[in-house]
């Protein structure tokens, strides 16, 4: 990685931290701190390690199991590694014991599989319950009204530790439009002790913080526009 790329990441990262601090100043201090998790889809391990070792990045999230595993050996033992994208039950076995947290648990079937594989591996897996706050057909997550019952069920599984809630808001034009979604989730988090509230991405993390997020998942604001490899049809 050349110096120009390092400078770009450094400047983006520091600018993002400034925006996080400014957003925190606009909310109740009792809401606590905010963890910046960098969503690293398509980002090379070398760049992620630079952000961890030189800039102080505290958490990393991958959307796809295959990409998570491809970077695991390079990143293991550095910072908590999260799965933040849709997780199929047939992929659970390959990441249990490796992922420090699975943020996208949205069904009894998936929760059962994670618990089963965790017990087999002799671990307890930290999870978040994903809520489809915008009721969008193309997104994962349980409906808001079903959140409490799913969380209650998950808390009975010995292979899981329910740490909180996660959501991905619909794309909105105005910050206040994001806030109305994030406020719903914040109100649902009170029954979970020391709840992790993972919400807000590059286009919405400031609104999420103002609504009480304890973790934001930011990718392009730190690493820049993603470039996806072309595949033949």
């Amino acid at each position: 990685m050349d110096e120009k790329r390092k400078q770009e990441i450094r400047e983006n990262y520091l600018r993002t931290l400034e925006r996080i601090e400014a957003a925190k100043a606009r909310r109740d201090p009792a809401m606590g701190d905010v963890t910046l998790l960098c969503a690293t889809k398509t980002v090379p391990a070398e760049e992620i390690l630079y952000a961890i070792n030189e800039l102080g990045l505290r958490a990393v999230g991958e959307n796809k199991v295959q990409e998570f595993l491809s970077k695991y050996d390079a990143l293991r033992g550095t910072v908590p590694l999260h799965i933040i994208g849709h997780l199929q039950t047939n992929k659970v076995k390959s990441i249990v014991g490796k992922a420090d947290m699975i943020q996208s648990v949205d069904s009894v079937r998936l929760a059962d599989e994670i618990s089963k594989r965790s017990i087999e591996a002799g671990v307890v897996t930290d999870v978040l319950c994903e809520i489809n706050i915008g009721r969008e057909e193309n997104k994962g997550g349980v409906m808001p009204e079903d959140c409490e019952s799913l969380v209650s069920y998950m808390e009975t599984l010995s292979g899981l530790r329910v740490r909180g809630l996660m959501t991905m808001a619909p794309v909105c034009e105005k910050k206040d439009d994001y806030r109305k979604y994030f406020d719903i989730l914040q109100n649902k988090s009170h029954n979970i002790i020391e709840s992790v509230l993972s919400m807000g991405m590059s286009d919405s993390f400031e609104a999420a913080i103002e609504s009480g997020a304890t973790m934001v998942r930011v990718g392009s604001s730190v690493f820049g526009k993603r470039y996806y490899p072309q595949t033949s049809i």
Side-chain angles (χ1 to χ4, degrees):
M1 180 170 49
D2 61 27
E3 289 301 319
K4 181 179 179 181
R5 178 60 175 151
K6 288 181 180 180
Q7 181 178 356
E8 178 187 5
I9 295 172
R10 184 188 308 114
E11 291 176 353
N12 289 346
Y13 184 82
L14 294 176
R15 188 180 304 115
T16 299
L17 290 183
E18 289 175 356
R19 293 170 63 188
I20 288 173
E21 290 301 316
K24 283 171 56 181
R26 297 191 291 268
R27 74 179 194 178
D28 185 346
M31 289 179 172
D33 201 3
V34 177
T35 297
L36 168 59
L37 176 147
C38 274
T40 52
K41 184 177 181 180
T42 77
V43 179
E46 179 186 19
E47 296 185 0
I48 302 170
L49 287 169
Y50 170 72
I52 292 170
N53 296 328
E54 302 298 328
L55 304 178
L57 175 63
R58 295 162 55 190
V60 168
E62 287 288 347
N63 288 75
K64 296 183 179 297
V65 169
Q66 183 176 356
E67 188 169 1
F68 176 96
L69 294 173
S70 73
K71 301 174 188 176
Y72 179 71
D73 286 341
L75 301 178
R76 65 187 301 181
T78 55
V79 296
L81 308 176
H82 296 218
I83 291 289
I84 59 175
H86 174 69
L87 179 60
Q88 297 175 318
T89 54
N90 64 351
K91 299 290 181 65
V92 169
K93 185 178 181 180
S94 63
I95 55 99
V96 160
K98 296 182 174 72
D100 294 280
M101 179 179 286
I102 299 172
Q103 296 204 13
S104 49
V105 182
D106 61 357
S107 70
V108 166
R109 182 166 176 259
L110 180 56
D112 282 341
E113 183 67 12
I114 296 171
S115 182
K116 172 186 171 183
R117 297 300 183 180
S118 298
I119 292 169
E120 290 175 353
V123 300
V124 177
T125 301
D126 284 346
V127 300
L128 302 183
C129 177
E130 181 180 4
I131 300 178
N132 188 337
I133 204 71
R135 303 177 181 274
E136 297 175 279
E137 293 183 1
N138 62 335
K139 288 183 181 177
V142 67
M143 291 296 117
E145 62 270 21
D146 298 323
C147 165
E148 186 174 345
S149 61
L150 179 56
V151 168
S152 295
Y153 177 77
M154 290 162 61
E155 288 176 335
T156 69
L157 301 176
S158 59
L160 303 184
R161 182 185 297 110
V162 182
R163 294 291 310 283
L165 308 176
M166 183 270 258
T167 198
M168 181 186 300
V171 176
C172 300
E173 292 185 4
K174 299 177 181 179
K175 184 177 73 173
D176 287 346
D177 293 334
Y178 282 113
R179 285 287 304 273
K180 71 181 181 183
Y181 291 109
F182 294 142
D183 286 346
I184 294 172
L185 202 68
Q186 202 276 337
N187 290 332
K188 289 185 174 294
S189 68
H190 296 311
N191 293 329
I192 303 172
I193 299 174
E194 297 183 357
S195 177
V196 174
L197 197 54
S198 175
M199 57 188 191
M201 299 167 66
S202 288
D203 60 349
S204 59
F205 69 86
E206 288 155 307
I209 291 169
E210 291 172 24
S211 292
T214 66
M215 179 178 290
V216 292
R217 309 183 306 276
V218 177
S220 59
S221 289
V222 171
F223 291 105
K225 183 179 179 180
R226 292 189 175 106
Y227 294 94
Y228 299 94
Q230 294 184 347
T231 57
S232 57
I233 298 175

